[in-house]
Amino acid sequence: MVNSIVLPKIMQIGADALNLLPDTLVSLGCCFPCIITDKTMVELGYMAKVEALLRQQNIQFGLFAETMPEPNDTSILAAVEMVQTNHYDCLIALGGGSAIDSAKAIALLASHGGKMRDYKVPYQVNEISLPVVAIPTTAGTGSEATRVTVISDSATDEKMLCMGSGLIPAAAIIDYQLTLSLPSRIAADTGIDALTHAIEAYVSRKANLFSDQQAIAAMKLIAPNLIKVCQEPDNLAAKEAMMLGATLAGIAFSNASVGLVHGMSRPIGVHFHVPHGMSNAMLLPTITEYSLPGAPLKYAECAMHMGLINNIEDEALAHQSLINELKQINQILAVPTLAQFGVEKAQYDSLLTNMAEQALASGSPSNNPKTPALNDIIELYRKVWVNSP
């Protein structure tokens, strides 16, 4: 079986990698970028760093700093018009997954027109669009190295999953120093998101030898450092390991797909505005426990690669170690229950069928080692409420 692997053309990884931004633009043949970011990046001074690097090389640029968390199809329209009107030749995405996902969508629509719903799965986005240079400031989504973007449909409240080689950034600048000012809550949510990517990629029905190696490396980097980066913000070694682990997890799931956790997470995010990584965390222990029979060996290996056990001779012990660890991570990192987050049970219950249908429509549950039917997902949503950390 042939696996088609898609990666950014250029990846600059390590401390001070940001300084290579002008050289990266030259390597891509670009000279007139538009920066896609958010107000937080401006307030934290990261935008000023990028601006200074570009001005030092006399590179003219545009700026759109209005991206929103959990972007929807209307939030990017002003940027699409701006890019088309000013004829920028590339985009620089600065920020977390929302900024990078927004930039991918903006590049696609500015290059080819249409609406985001035209490009959602099962459509394969293979069109070549404006190059995107992704500069992540969180260690979590891995969007800098994936052929995926997630944009909500403002009319239907559906989180639309869009996939294809045309969405892979042309370059990624992965500088862990950009995560040093990350608040512990965001570090926790994005970190659990990265761990979820690694686990789901490893057990995915679309997993392959290449993606497995990325997922294994990601788990080995993320598992021992996830709590450290949240509790020890000055631990540079942990920050560096976590940043690389998140990127490798992104490469893994981009080339193997995610599963039921992500499929069920997106509707919770869009209906109740729970941050993506946090909703993954709320789901991860329960959904992992449900999925164990579909890939018992691989889940046991996850426990070993995460350093929880030394071998997989006792699969039952490995599985229990994995579930216990996922629950403990949520407890230590203070992941709230759905109720604690402010979700009203009556509203939650009224949306169970709708959320389950949206989860199935995303396609992600079909990659899960244990494939659920609609009623299974509804029951799992109910169980998640009861079993919330």
Side-chain angles (χ1 to χ4, degrees):
M1 180 178 176
V2 175
N3 298 291
S4 298
I5 306 302
V6 184
L7 297 168
K9 183 186 298 184
I10 300 170
M11 299 181 76
Q12 313 281 15
I13 302 173
D16 298 320
L18 181 63
N19 294 336
L20 297 176
L21 173 59
D23 292 341
T24 302
L25 292 175
V26 171
S27 297
L28 295 174
C30 299
C31 60
F32 190 32
C34 182
I35 302 168
I36 307 297
T37 189
D38 57 50
K39 292 178 180 177
T40 300
M41 294 297 102
V42 176
E43 293 167 359
L44 291 176
Y46 291 145
M47 178 56 212
K49 290 183 179 181
V50 171
E51 182 177 349
L53 287 168
L54 297 178
R55 293 197 186 283
Q56 286 169 11
Q57 300 299 320
N58 296 315
I59 298 173
Q60 301 298 310
F61 61 89
L63 172 62
F64 180 82
E66 304 297 327
T67 63
M68 60 180 281
E70 313 292 335
N72 64 31
D73 51 355
T74 60
S75 70
I76 60 175
L77 292 182
V80 171
E81 182 178 358
M82 178 181 173
V83 170
Q84 290 175 325
T85 300
N86 292 285
H87 304 291
Y88 298 109
D89 61 6
C90 68
L91 305 182
I92 297 172
L94 175 68
S98 294
I100 298 173
D101 277 7
S102 293
K104 291 178 180 182
I106 292 163
L108 177 63
L109 295 186
S111 301
H112 303 288
K115 301 179 184 299
M116 283 309 299
R117 65 176 65 94
D118 300 331
Y119 298 103
K120 70 178 184 177
V121 293
Y123 186 91
Q124 283 294 303
V125 183
N126 295 323
E127 295 87 346
I128 303 300
S129 301
L130 280 175
V132 173
V133 178
I135 308 176
T137 59
T138 63
T141 70
S143 187
E144 69 275 5
T146 74
R147 56 191 183 100
V148 177
T149 188
V150 179
I151 304 292
S152 296
D153 187 323
S154 56
T156 64
D157 282 339
E158 175 191 359
K159 271 198 171 185
M160 298 179 291
L161 178 64
C162 304
M163 299 184 67
S165 59
L167 293 171
I168 195 83
I173 294 178
I174 302 155
D175 186 339
Y176 73 89
Q177 292 177 322
L178 297 178
T179 70
L180 298 184
S181 62
L182 208 60
S184 59
R185 179 72 267 154
I186 297 178
D189 294 343
T190 55
I192 297 174
D193 189 23
L195 180 61
T196 307
H197 291 154
I199 293 173
E200 288 208 294
Y202 193 64
V203 302
S204 169
R205 290 179 177 271
K206 293 184 178 178
N208 54 74
L209 190 59
F210 177 87
S211 65
D212 277 357
Q213 299 313 303
Q214 314 310 308
I216 290 168
M219 283 186 273
K220 288 182 176 180
L221 288 166
I222 294 168
N225 290 295
L226 174 54
I227 292 172
K228 288 180 184 176
V229 297
C230 300
Q231 297 183 340
E232 305 169 24
D234 296 327
N235 189 329
L236 299 187
K239 291 276 189 179
E240 183 174 20
M242 194 70 196
M243 190 68 159
L244 179 58
T247 296
L248 292 174
I251 293 172
F253 91 77
S254 181
N255 291 285
S257 295
V258 286
L260 183 57
V261 176
H262 273 77
M264 291 178 62
S265 172
R266 298 186 195 104
I268 289 176
V270 76
H271 289 290
F272 302 106
H273 308 292
V274 180
H276 175 66
M278 183 182 289
S279 59
N280 277 344
M282 292 171 171
L283 291 161
L284 187 56
T286 298
I287 304 309
T288 299
E289 193 164 23
Y290 163 82
S291 304
L292 286 173
L297 176 60
K298 277 209 152 181
Y299 277 114
E301 289 172 344
C302 285
M304 183 174 66
H305 296 316
M306 290 169 62
L308 308 179
I309 55 172
N310 294 322
N311 58 65
I312 55 170
E313 292 178 1
D314 188 337
E315 276 191 1
L317 175 62
H319 293 165
Q320 195 58 56
S321 298
L322 178 61
I323 300 302
N324 289 345
E325 177 69 5
L326 298 180
K327 290 178 179 178
Q328 186 174 25
I329 288 171
N330 282 357
Q331 290 172 355
I332 293 173
L333 298 184
V335 175
T337 66
L338 285 160
Q340 288 169 342
F341 187 81
V343 177
E344 294 184 1
K345 191 172 187 304
Q347 184 185 10
Y348 182 80
D349 288 344
S350 72
L351 288 168
L352 290 177
T353 300
N354 186 19
M355 290 195 297
E357 289 172 345
Q358 290 177 341
L360 279 176
S362 74
S364 297
S366 65
N367 305 319
N368 207 60
K370 182 178 179 181
T371 307
L374 179 69
N375 286 338
D376 296 325
I377 297 178
I378 292 172
E379 289 307 311
L380 283 169
Y381 273 129
R382 288 197 178 103
K383 191 171 183 180
V384 166
W385 182 277
V386 174
N387 292 349
S388 288

